[in-house]
Amino acid sequence: MMKLAIIGTGYVGLTTGTCFAEVGHRVICVDNNAQKVVALQQGEIPIFEPELEQLIVSNVAAGRLSFTMDIAEAVRLSDVIFIAVPTPPLEDGSVDLSYIESVSCTVAELITPEMGYRVIVDKSTVPVSTGSKVLQVLQRYSSSGVDVDVVSNPEFLREGCAVDDLLNPDRIVVGSDSARALDVMRRIYQPFSAPMVETDLASAELIKHAANSFLAMKISYINSVAAVCEAAGADVEQVALGIGMDKRIQRHFLNAGLGYGGSCFPKDVKGFIHVAEQLGSPMTILHEVENVNERQLARFLNRIREKMWILGHKRIAVWGLAFKQNTDDVRESVSIKLIKQLCDEGAIVSAYDPAARITGAAALEGYDVNITEDMYSCLKGAELLIIGTEWKEFAQANFSRVSELLHLPLVYDGRNILHGENVTAAGLEYHSIGRKTMMPKS
Ligand code: NAD
Ligand code: UGA
């Protein structure tokens, strides 16, 4: 059992802290958002994440997990201090490291030689060389004689399946220039069966940016192939299957759609572009990854305009507000961007999402969108249906009911999540990404 503190109790901090407690460590989660901490202390979970609530409840009850605003006490009582605060993008695409700097300064002032050895672990996604700056801060602002090392331990969890990703990761990456700190990390991760990749500090930081950018590149690649498929009358799902069975390529992250969104890929691709440029080694390939991602939504809307002509005053239903399935997170959601664009063109939009109705409404503040409680009332009076998020429950919808409710028999699937046969059997025209339009069967 190790004594751990996690500074920043958001998606990453809360799920990581909970999973560390689940494998037997004693974890104190710290946040400076009083409302969040009080809610967690009262057993209210601030995010929608499958399996998380149950694990929090059982680990709090077992005395292994607690929540506080008192960073001083957490630092005093913990051997290892994880930093999991936001690293949002700035206007120029660079990463805002002020949260990391601020926590590093606070920790530096709190640790004393009497506390003994402390390891500071960066879990936030940061540009290469951030860890060495954190070490400088610790050396500059701590009292003399403190014994401290810095580690980079990037996180690869996906929202919507964060608990499973944390408890069963593909690999664990830890980077440090201190052998002693790496030994501490081995002990923390000893209960996990995943292979551990041990690197120097800078390489671990780079692995995170490079991994996210590579996944974003896979998505933009298949979306480019989808555009060719549309022009050639081929089927991108068949192409993805055919190339994905090559073990060197793999089928994962070859789902064509409206493009990637979320709080990570857009900012991390930008962040990697920026730091590479600063280092004089531009990652020019990533500019095209971004361009393709931007074009995806524009191409999709053009196809709808081709059919409907002017979108002003058209009643349009959109299923999906979250940036992906199994989450209520709408940060950089492509579906929200789509709805805003439809509204800007004068369309009358209604929307439904299984989990993101509240967060979606907040993101659409100022836009006149009717967010409904169930998927079918969203369709009342609508001329066409657009799928913006890949929720599995959309594929299980009753398309005869959909067909009865829609004024025109038109379904545009921006995530290739529906079964075309079910849609067309209900008398609906089915448009998707990178595949031929399927006409109604009856
Ligand atoms: P988040 O916004 O959900 O949570 C961050 C938390 O930090 C918030 O609760 C905030 O109140 C708190 N905080 C900010 N400043 C603080 C301070 N000085 N002291 C204490 N708490 C403070 O962010 P997130 O999604 O958890 O992301 C955190 C980092 O992890 C980012 O660098 C992100 O890129 C990275 N990451 C995110 C994911 C993901 O799926 N969300 C996955 C892997 C990595
Ligand atoms: C992503 C990575 O998958 C995680 O490994 C990483 O830890 C995380 O970013 C992060 O650094 O924060 P996440 O953003 O939660 O995780 O979700 P993904 O499942 O990767 O989806 C991201 C976006 O890509 C979504 O908008 C999704 O719809 C889209 N996507 C994903 C596609 O369009 N096609 C695909 O094949 C896969």
Side-chain angles (χ1 to χ4, degrees):
M1 192 270 278
M2 306 273 297
K3 288 182 259 168
L4 314 177
I6 315 263
I7 320 267
T9 310
Y11 272 93
V12 169
L14 180 59
T15 42
T16 310
T18 305
C19 291
F20 278 149
E22 176 66 10
V23 300
H25 300 308
R26 197 278 285 125
V27 182
I28 304 175
C29 286
V30 184
D31 207 283
N32 62 358
N33 178 332
Q35 216 184 337
K36 189 178 267 191
V37 172
V38 170
L40 282 162
Q41 286 169 339
Q42 291 171 351
E44 288 162 31
I45 315 305
I47 53 171
F48 174 95
E49 189 58 50
E51 297 175 55
L52 184 61
E53 182 165 2
Q54 195 186 321
L55 282 194
I56 292 177
V57 170
S58 61
N59 281 288
V60 168
R64 288 190 297 265
L65 180 65
S66 59
F67 305 100
T68 184
M69 286 189 71
D70 189 347
I71 187 168
E73 198 193 35
V75 167
R76 189 173 57 78
L77 296 175
S78 307
D79 301 319
V80 183
I81 295 137
F82 286 80
I83 302 176
V85 293
T87 49
L90 290 168
E91 280 285 298
D92 63 355
S94 65
V95 182
D96 179 356
L97 292 169
S98 59
Y99 298 84
I100 300 274
E101 196 258 0
S102 157
V103 171
S104 307
C105 289
T106 308
V107 171
E109 284 161 9
L110 289 170
I111 49 178
T112 61
E114 296 72 43
M115 286 179 185
Y117 184 49
R118 288 286 184 275
V119 179
I120 314 301
V121 184
D122 173 42
K123 231 190 199 311
S124 297
T125 302
V126 293
V128 60
S129 298
T130 302
S132 61
K133 298 218 172 61
V134 170
L135 188 58
Q136 276 171 19
V137 167
L138 291 165
Q139 286 160 349
R140 197 173 294 151
Y141 297 110
S142 299
S143 39
S144 65
V146 298
D147 194 7
V148 66
D149 277 317
V150 172
V151 171
S152 165
N153 173 215
E155 182 46 61
F156 301 99
L157 69 81
R158 290 161 299 169
E159 292 183 21
C161 45
V163 170
D164 192 45
D165 281 350
L166 276 161
L167 292 175
N168 307 294
D170 289 345
R171 82 306 203 182
I172 293 152
V173 174
V174 288
S176 181
D177 299 332
S178 151
R180 194 172 161 209
L182 286 175
D183 193 47
V184 170
M185 298 309 289
R186 266 178 232 128
R187 279 160 49 211
I188 294 175
Y189 282 106
Q190 192 269 328
F192 297 82
S193 52
M196 186 176 265
V197 181
E198 295 183 6
T199 69
D200 56 72
L201 190 54
S203 300
E205 294 171 329
L206 227 145
I207 285 171
K208 177 64 193 179
H209 261 168
N212 269 8
S213 299
F214 188 84
L215 291 170
M217 188 170 72
K218 259 189 121 170
I219 297 169
S220 281
Y221 182 80
I222 200 67
N223 282 336
S224 300
V225 172
V228 180
C229 286
E230 279 166 29
D235 185 323
V236 74
E237 296 298 325
Q238 293 177 21
V239 174
L241 180 71
I243 60 176
M245 285 171 83
D246 185 326
K247 288 193 184 69
R248 295 167 302 174
I249 298 175
Q250 304 269 351
R251 175 65 181 78
H252 309 290
F253 277 71
L254 288 179
N255 297 322
L258 290 175
Y260 60 80
S263 67
C264 295
F265 283 172
K267 99 168 155 63
D268 292 343
V269 170
K270 276 193 175 34
F272 199 22
I273 288 175
H274 195 272
V275 72
E277 253 160 34
Q278 267 187 334
L279 291 166
S281 303
M283 289 285 299
T284 47
I285 194 168
L286 293 181
H287 288 291
E288 195 48 27
V289 168
E290 287 191 311
N291 291 340
V292 171
N293 202 50
E294 288 286 310
R295 283 202 295 269
Q296 247 352 63
L297 178 58
R299 284 196 329 108
F300 186 69
L301 280 167
N302 274 342
R303 286 173 55 202
I304 298 174
R305 281 191 209 99
E306 267 167 33
K307 184 71 147 188
M308 303 297 296
W309 193 15
I310 306 292
L311 296 182
H313 305 294
K314 300 289 182 326
R315 292 183 175 273
I316 300 177
V318 177
W319 281 356
L321 293 166
F323 85 96
K324 60 180 278 192
Q325 83 284 21
N326 292 335
T327 181
D328 63 350
D329 195 345
V330 294
R331 289 179 285 180
E332 293 289 316
S333 163
V334 183
S335 199
I336 297 281
K337 280 189 195 154
L338 165 92
I339 292 171
K340 286 184 175 174
Q341 191 139 349
L342 292 173
C343 291
D344 287 343
E345 290 185 40
I348 301 153
V349 181
S350 55
Y352 165 76
D353 190 284
R357 289 188 290 280
I358 295 171
T359 47
L364 289 167
E365 204 186 317
Y367 287 81
D368 190 11
V369 177
N370 176 26
I371 298 176
T372 63
E373 287 293 316
D374 80 281
M375 64 207 286
Y376 299 107
S377 42
C378 176
L379 304 175
K380 277 183 199 145
E383 292 179 59
L384 67 145
L385 167 64
I386 301 177
I387 311 293
T389 309
E390 61 271 41
W391 282 97
K392 290 206 172 54
E393 75 172 72
F394 297 157
Q396 286 143 19
N398 177 341
F399 284 97
S400 304
R401 218 170 143 198
V402 172
S403 183
E404 278 162 24
L405 289 163
L406 282 179
H407 277 201
L408 296 175
L410 292 175
V411 175
Y412 281 82
D413 181 358
R415 294 292 174 184
N416 286 4
I417 187 80
L418 307 183
H419 304 292
E421 296 294 330
N422 294 350
V423 180
T424 53
L428 295 158
E429 200 172 295
Y430 180 57
H431 299 258
S432 57
I433 306 276
R435 297 187 293 188
K436 282 185 200 132
T437 297
M438 291 173 69
M439 299 314 281
K441 292 263 165 57
S442 52

